[in-house]
Amino acid sequence: MTYELFLALALFAFVSSITPGPNNLMLMASGANFGFRRTIPHMLGVGLGFVFMVILVGAGLVQIFDAFPVSYTALKVASVIYLLYLAWKIAHAGPVETSGNRGAPMTFLQAAAFQWANPKAWAMALNAISAYTPDQTLWAIFIVAAVFGAINLPSVGSWTILGQQMARFLTNPRRLTQFNWLMAVLLVASLYPVIWPQ
């Protein structure tokens, strides 16, 4: 991989990791509702789960979609249904002190598994592999995964910190409910490119 290609990859990883999407919106909501420390497993699940996804996609998983196009459609439908379910959970999350067992931050394994249902993660992985591993060697795939691993975690962490900082203004249960509903609506809106692709 040339130096120029590496810099382009790092820029792509940063822009795609820091911009709004299902992961970042859910992490901001988790930071606001549960705080930074309790959201760490969720952040690690996003970062490491995506690295693992990039490796598997680069190692040939994408060929399944080429061989069986209906599998990609099935994945999109399942992703939309799951994201709508998560949006409902976010919208109905109550204050931590009063909600008892109603809500808990996403676990490491849940966040890692979510990458496989996240349309933005699929788009990022497929674009990264096709654009930045022209020779499709295992070494190039590992470089792409490592760059995303190094850039993704601080990027998603910034969304959790943003949510945690917003929690100061969300001490009123009504404002917290409004925030959670806004996050749920934005999460559903993030499905627009999946449901109606250009």
Side-chain angles (χ1 to χ4, degrees):
M1 181 177 289
T2 66
Y3 180 70
E4 291 78 12
L5 190 61
F6 180 83
L7 286 180
L9 167 62
L11 181 61
F12 174 75
F14 175 72
V15 171
S16 57
S17 296
I18 199 75
T19 52
N23 279 322
N24 291 336
L25 293 172
M26 289 191 309
L27 284 165
M28 184 166 68
S30 184
N33 284 282
F34 306 110
F36 185 85
R37 190 177 57 78
R38 291 185 65 196
T39 306
I40 289 174
H42 185 169
M43 291 186 298
L44 291 174
V46 169
L48 297 177
F50 185 71
V51 166
F52 184 64
M53 180 186 200
V54 168
I55 291 169
L56 289 185
V57 168
L61 190 62
V62 70
Q63 293 171 358
I64 294 173
F65 296 129
D66 293 337
F68 305 101
V70 71
S71 63
Y72 187 65
T73 302
L75 175 70
K76 283 172 60 172
V77 169
S79 297
V80 167
I81 291 169
Y82 186 61
L83 280 169
L84 290 173
Y85 164 73
L86 289 175
W88 181 86
K89 284 187 68 173
I90 289 171
H92 291 90
V96 176
E97 297 80 11
T98 62
S99 62
N101 293 327
R102 282 182 54 203
M106 197 175 261
T107 67
F108 173 85
L109 290 178
Q110 288 171 331
F114 172 70
Q115 302 319 297
W116 299 93
N118 181 352
K120 184 182 177 187
W122 274 104
M124 288 166 57
L126 293 170
N127 287 330
I129 292 300
S130 61
Y132 300 104
T133 60
D135 52 2
Q136 295 283 315
T137 63
L138 198 56
W139 176 245
I141 292 165
F142 279 124
I143 290 175
V144 169
V147 168
F148 267 100
I151 291 174
N152 188 269
L153 192 58
S155 297
V156 298
S158 67
W159 282 84
T160 306
I161 291 170
L162 176 61
Q164 180 187 31
Q165 295 304 311
M166 290 181 71
R168 296 182 196 174
F169 305 103
L170 302 174
T171 53
N172 179 304
R174 184 167 176 256
R175 283 196 299 252
L176 181 61
T177 298
Q178 290 171 342
F179 171 79
N180 286 339
W181 272 95
L182 175 63
M183 291 298 98
V185 168
L186 291 174
L187 185 58
V188 171
S190 74
L191 292 172
Y192 179 81
V194 177
I195 298 171
W196 291 284
Q198 298 297 322

